[in-house]
Amino acid sequence: MIIAVDGPTASGKGTIAKALAAHFGLPHLDTGLLYRAVGRQVFLNGGNPDDPADALAACTFPESLLDDPELRTEETGGYASRVSVHPAVRAALLARQQAFANQPGGAVLDGRDIATVIAPHADAKLFVTASVSARALRRWMEMKGLGKDVERAEIEADLAARDERDRNRPEAPLRQAEGAALLDTSNLTREMAVATAIALVEKQVAARG
Ligand code: C5P
């Protein structure tokens, strides 16, 4: 069974995807981490994330970079969003994501274009969203937990800019795929969001027969 989970930053899609993977006994891939690794590698190379050649050169990042805690920062998220607009970067990361999705037994993947590009044949598709203010609050608490002192207003502006870029890029823009169930987590606890996600997946799988 392949489960595709898409949505904007801090919508809860990562938490939901992880919980779905545990519930259904499937491996999970956070595809945002791949784009974050490319963004971080551009930074380490002293390159420009808006330059397609610099961004493409960073796609050969070492596997160990995926464990770098710096990948989780807002700064790297901004870099990731900028490198992810380049078609060559998306193409370079495509095979790895598709191989993960199509492994025997299935998988859960979360990102922006899983149900639209990576695995349009997924058995279940969720589009997880939440208001900008709810997402900014979550990200702010996460950053505080990491000991980072950031202004909430700054996070909110950053999220809005990132959304705008992800939704309006010509290549694989963030959007709800046809057949994807919408899950708004703005007013849901983690437990409620996960329970709703499991129910939505079960419903979609049952409907497919
Ligand atoms: O989900 P996360 O915030 O970690 O993703 C970082 C950035 O990577 C996003 O803002 C988006 O631009 C990009 N991304 C993407 N396609 C994916 C996953 C992430 O373009 N499948």
Side-chain angles (χ1 to χ4, degrees), residues 170-187:
E171 187 84 7
L174 171 66
R175 64 175 177 83
Q176 185 178 351
E178 203 170 310
L182 184 68
L183 174 50
D184 187 328
T185 64
S186 304
N187 300 310

Side-chain angles (χ1 to χ4, degrees), residues 6-164:
D6 290 302
T9 296
S11 57
K13 69 178 186 320
T15 302
I16 287 172
K18 245 179 262 156
L20 287 173
H23 181 83
F24 292 105
L26 294 168
H28 165 234
L29 179 65
D30 167 4
T31 63
L33 216 51
L34 303 177
Y35 289 93
R36 284 171 179 266
V38 176
R40 178 77 182 149
Q41 189 64 47
V42 169
F43 171 80
L44 295 172
N45 292 347
N48 175 2
D50 302 320
D51 181 90
D54 282 3
L56 182 60
C59 289
T60 52
F61 60 82
E63 285 300 297
S64 57
L65 189 61
L66 293 171
D67 298 320
D68 184 345
E70 280 299 315
L71 293 198
R72 307 277 173 195
T73 66
E74 280 305 293
E75 197 187 4
T76 305
Y79 265 73
S81 170
R82 286 160 69 186
V83 297
S84 71
V85 304
H86 305 302
V89 168
R90 308 202 69 84
L93 300 179
L94 186 73
R96 178 179 187 151
Q97 297 174 79
Q98 287 185 331
F100 194 92
N102 296 323
Q103 64 186 289
V108 181
L109 288 88
D110 74 87
R112 301 291 186 291
D113 62 343
I114 308 304
T116 52
V117 176
I118 306 295
H121 56 299
D123 301 284
K125 302 171 185 173
L126 299 183
F127 191 80
V128 182
T129 188
S131 66
V132 175
S133 59
R135 289 159 46 211
L137 177 62
R138 283 177 199 158
R139 187 42 63 88
W140 180 72
M141 294 197 327
E142 203 181 307
M143 290 295 126
K144 267 187 78 160
L146 290 173
K148 306 239 177 205
D149 194 18
V150 245
E151 289 288 326
R152 243 175 86 182
E154 203 181 301
I155 294 185
E156 198 162 319
D158 196 60
L159 282 182
R162 197 118 63 87
D163 281 1
E164 174 82 10

